[in-house]
Amino acid sequence: MAKRIVVALGGNALGNTPEEQLELVRHTAKTIVDLAQDGYEVIVGHGNGPQVGMINLAMEFSCTKGGNTPYMPFPECGAMSQGYIGYHLQQAIQQELKARGIDKECAAVVTQVVVDANDPGFAKPTKPVGSFYTKEEADKIAAEKGFTFVEDAGRGYRRVVPSPIPQRIVELKVVEQLVKAGDIVITVGGGGIPVVETEQGLKGVAAVIDKDRSSALLAQSIGADMLIILTAVDRVCINYNKPDQKELPTMTLEEAEKYIEEKQFAPGSMLPKVQSCMEFVKNNTHGGTALITSLQKAKVALQGETGTIITK
């Protein structure tokens, strides 16, 4: 029986502009198709931080300055980003499958993810979206628009929005049906469109769910054997960017907890990735493991040559 894996793509697998993304996803597609060609059932999740921020700013500018464009709520901006990123990814994967003569389909599913309306994350925005700014630029925009900005892992200042914890993937059954049919599925794009349950049905909310957390929930819900989080580094490190930096080929849940207490992982960068892997491993009932590695090394990491494996 084929092993089922959920692959969470980081921002380095996409791009900051549509043109840059079209180029980058060609390389991303090769990695995804490599895994499918090796016999894995592949489900793909991805982020949308730069993209949803870009769309939101563009729509807001057009509405306030142009005068003829209606106000576009943040959840709809998230849905737009999910749509165009999914379109780019599935097109690139389809072309790579065709080039290799592999008889397999790929589809992107517009996915909603239920969150708790009372999640404490709504009171304290933490999820970076959009472009990087200098402190001066961020202060000016914050004063004009009332946005909250934070410094993001030494790379500049970014706007932050609420990031509630994902509770349930609405379109899970659709995803399962496509996976059982042998298709590569792209889902929980941007962490999923965040919605809350009301008496009138589901309602979108202004937030961005962390894509690693949603991918971990997806992996758990769909019975995946492994969660793979692809990022910019080959292995997780402690004492990162210091003279005594050390790569970690493996990490137990106990060790991960210890490193988190020591604040070894940056909150806007590696921390949510490690926590998401821990969540999947902790709640997996059939011995599933998690892997953090780079996009370029995904195939060899699955063979044990690099990457960081998280186990119980």
Side-chain angles (χ1 to χ4, degrees):
M1 189 173 177
K3 281 196 171 184
R4 182 172 291 184
I5 57 177
V6 169
V7 180
L9 299 175
N12 61 314
L14 303 172
N16 293 313
T17 68
E19 294 79 15
E20 182 184 358
Q21 183 167 286
L22 268 172
E23 181 60 35
L24 284 175
V25 294
R26 291 193 185 99
H27 302 290
T28 303
K30 293 181 187 298
T31 296
I32 299 302
V33 175
D34 279 345
L35 301 179
Q37 195 167 28
D38 285 346
Y40 293 101
E41 292 180 344
V42 185
I43 307 106
V44 180
H46 62 79
N48 73 341
Q51 296 85 353
V52 71
M54 174 186 68
I55 292 169
N56 182 239
L57 283 173
M59 298 302 293
E60 185 175 280
F61 180 86
S62 184
C63 175
T64 57
K65 305 295 184 183
N68 296 319
T69 303
Y71 169 73
M72 190 62 64
F74 200 85
E76 278 71 10
C77 294
M80 288 179 186
S81 72
Q82 197 179 93
Y84 99 76
I85 296 169
Y87 151 63
H88 281 175
L89 278 170
Q90 74 179 21
Q91 186 181 76
I93 292 169
Q94 286 164 344
Q95 289 172 348
E96 187 65 24
L97 288 167
K98 184 178 180 181
R100 299 192 196 186
I102 300 172
D103 184 19
K104 191 179 282 286
E105 300 296 327
C106 175
V109 178
V110 176
T111 313
Q112 303 168 91
V113 175
V114 175
V115 299
D116 186 346
N118 297 313
D119 190 297
F122 285 110
K124 187 179 180 183
T126 58
K127 183 64 179 173
V129 299
S131 304
F132 289 92
Y133 297 95
T134 64
K135 189 173 189 312
E136 292 73 23
E137 290 170 333
D139 288 343
K140 183 181 177 183
I141 297 170
E144 290 175 355
K145 301 183 182 297
F147 293 166
T148 302
F149 285 84
V150 298
E151 198 281 324
D152 185 359
R155 295 173 291 180
Y157 286 78
R158 293 175 80 188
R159 179 190 174 189
V160 287
V161 297
S163 184
I165 301 297
Q167 304 287 325
R168 177 173 67 87
I169 297 165
V170 178
E171 287 77 19
L172 182 66
K173 287 186 179 179
V174 176
V175 175
E176 287 179 326
Q177 289 165 9
L178 290 168
V179 173
K180 286 178 182 176
D183 302 327
I184 297 172
V185 187
I186 301 159
T187 182
V188 297
I193 304 162
V195 295
V196 295
E197 294 181 293
T198 73
E199 291 181 359
Q200 291 75 39
L202 298 175
K203 180 183 177 183
V205 290
V208 172
I209 304 170
D210 184 89
K211 68 100 174 38
D212 295 318
R213 289 192 179 277
S214 287
S215 295
L217 176 63
L218 172 65
Q220 180 187 334
S221 303
I222 208 164
D225 298 286
M226 179 175 276
L227 168 66
I228 304 175
I229 295 182
L230 300 181
T231 185
V233 295
D234 295 343
R235 276 182 168 153
V236 178
C237 298
I238 54 173
N239 304 320
Y240 185 65
N241 272 345
K242 295 178 181 178
D244 57 345
Q245 175 177 307
K246 179 184 176 184
E247 293 186 345
L248 302 173
T250 61
M251 185 164 47
T252 65
L253 293 178
E254 186 178 349
E255 288 169 336
E257 290 281 9
K258 174 176 171 287
Y259 294 140
I260 289 172
E261 286 178 13
E262 295 172 357
K263 301 189 185 305
Q264 290 282 359
F265 310 127
S269 182
M270 188 55 73
L271 180 60
K273 294 172 175 55
V274 171
Q275 289 174 325
S276 298
C277 288
M278 292 170 67
E279 192 71 17
F280 169 67
V281 171
K282 196 182 298 180
N283 294 309
N284 192 287
T285 56
H286 57 276
T289 58
L291 168 67
I292 299 175
T293 192
S294 64
L295 174 69
Q296 295 77 12
K297 297 291 181 68
K299 185 172 181 175
V300 294
L302 277 168
Q303 297 165 355
E305 294 179 27
T306 189
T308 300
I309 290 281
I310 295 93
T311 64
K312 286 185 179 177

